[in-house]
């Protein structure tokens, strides 16, 4: 199984700042099969980004994904108050599909 | 509009079999060309795909849980069921049902989620 390791565990930033979240895979994954989710307390995850750079319906363009091979990045260009949450990466290139352990973006 | 709603007992005893139900509204699971998935999240931890079932009842499971999991369709009630046997404290989690973005694909991004149901395994 492919293990996804997300870093940092917690990111402390202020609104308006840029957030860069990392997801490293234990073996190479096609960028077409990587996704990112946002989860707020008490809620189900919400799909943000999938494939190389596709945003899910209703996701603002301040969210973007990039990467290849084993290293993938979610970037939030300018943090809005509603962006403070936990973010998970997912790979669905190999079975079983797996998720990272999450990065919490908190208000500094 | 498609909606998913999980339900089940909030508490299970060790060694018992856990049974959960996902009620689907806004689509018929017997004619919907999608894999329906169960995903769980232990408290404070990441997500784990449990398994998925197609409308033809073909199912796929995470190898780590395969010996204990059964996912089935109840087409009469438009529900997807999860049974997990021989539960331990490690099975304590929020259990979600979810539908992928794309039809007929077992490995995919999850576009629609239920709100989840918390299950605690404790004696």
């Amino acid at each position: 199984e492919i293990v996804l390791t997300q870093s940092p565990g917690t990111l402390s930033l202020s609104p308006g700042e840029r957030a860069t979240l990392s997801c490293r895979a234990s073996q190479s994954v096609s960028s077409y099969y990587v996704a990112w989710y946002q989860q707020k307390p008490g809620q189900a995850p919400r799909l943000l980004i999938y494939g190389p750079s596709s945003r899910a319906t209703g996701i603002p363009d301040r969210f973007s994904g990039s990467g290849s091979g084993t290293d993938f990045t979610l970037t939030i260009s300018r943090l809005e108050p509603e962006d403070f949450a936990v973010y998970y990466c997912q790979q669905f290139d190999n079975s079983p599909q797996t998720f990272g352990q999450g990065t919490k973006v908190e208000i500094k | 509009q498609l909606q998913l709603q999980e339900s089940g007992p909030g508490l299970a005893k060790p060694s018992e079999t856990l049974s959960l139900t996902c009620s689907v509204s806004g689509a018929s699971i017997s004619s919907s060309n999608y894999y329906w998935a169960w995903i769980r999240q232990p408290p404070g931890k990441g997500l784990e795909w449990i398994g998925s079932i197609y409308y033809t009842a073909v199912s796929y499971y995470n190898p780590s849980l395969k010996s204990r999991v059964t996912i089935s369709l109840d087409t009469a009630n438009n529900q997807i069921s999860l049974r997990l046997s021989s539960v331990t404290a490690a099975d304590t989690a929020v259990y979600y049902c979810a539908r992928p973005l794309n039809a007929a694909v077992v490995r995919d991004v999850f576009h629609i989620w239920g709100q989840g149901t918390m299950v605690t395994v404790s004696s």
Side-chain angles (χ1 to χ4, degrees):
Chain A
E1 132 176 351
I2 294 178
V3 176
L4 300 179
T5 302
Q6 293 187 240
S7 61
T10 301
L11 198 52
S12 298
L13 295 168
S14 300
E17 290 194 292
R18 182 184 187 89
T20 303
L21 287 67
S22 173
C23 176
R24 176 163 289 177
S26 58
Q27 62 190 74
S28 185
V29 174
S30 168
S31 63
Y32 288 91
Y33 302 112
V34 173
W36 292 88
Y37 298 82
Q38 177 193 69
Q39 187 178 37
K40 295 181 179 180
Q43 296 183 14
R46 174 192 182 195
L47 178 64
L48 294 176
I49 301 283
Y50 58 97
S53 57
S54 298
R55 280 184 294 275
T57 303
I59 302 303
D61 61 6
R62 63 179 180 272
F63 290 92
S64 63
S66 63
S68 64
T70 60
D71 292 305
F72 299 92
T73 300
L74 173 70
T75 301
I76 311 171
S77 59
R78 288 178 54 86
L79 282 164
E80 296 289 340
E82 61 268 27
D83 299 337
F84 291 92
V86 180
Y87 293 84
Y88 295 95
C89 57
Q90 176 205 7
Q91 69 80 22
F92 51 105
D93 194 359
N94 281 31
S95 183
Q97 49 201 324
T98 53
F99 296 84
Q101 84 284 9
T103 289
K104 181 179 182 180
V105 179
E106 65 176 22
I107 299 176
K108 186 173 181 180
Chain B
Q1 182 180 357
L2 181 66
Q3 291 187 315
L4 309 177
Q5 174 83 48
E6 305 88 346
S7 60
L11 183 65
K13 288 183 167 52
S15 80
E16 288 186 341
T17 294
L18 171 66
S19 294
L20 299 177
T21 297
C22 174
S23 298
V24 178
S25 59
S28 169
I29 62 172
S30 60
S31 58
S32 181
N33 191 25
Y34 286 87
Y35 280 88
W36 304 90
W38 282 97
I39 295 164
R40 71 180 182 178
Q41 184 174 35
K45 295 187 178 181
L47 300 155
E48 179 179 34
W49 172 72
I50 299 170
S52 298
I53 188 166
Y54 200 40
Y55 77 108
T56 58
V58 171
S59 57
Y60 295 89
Y61 301 122
N62 191 320
S64 68
L65 297 168
K66 188 174 183 177
S67 64
R68 300 194 291 128
V69 173
T70 302
I71 297 175
S72 58
L73 300 175
D74 177 359
T75 55
N77 292 301
N78 215 37
Q79 294 175 333
I80 302 131
S81 297
L82 169 70
R83 287 172 57 86
L84 181 64
S85 64
S86 306
V87 297
T88 69
D91 296 310
T92 294
V94 176
Y95 286 75
Y96 295 99
C97 59
R99 200 208 75 180
L101 178 64
N102 297 295
V105 180
V106 64
R107 296 199 309 273
D108 196 23
V109 296
F110 296 103
H111 178 53
I112 299 173
W113 298 68
Q115 89 288 351
T117 187
M118 178 69 201
V119 176
T120 301
V121 179
S122 175
S123 55

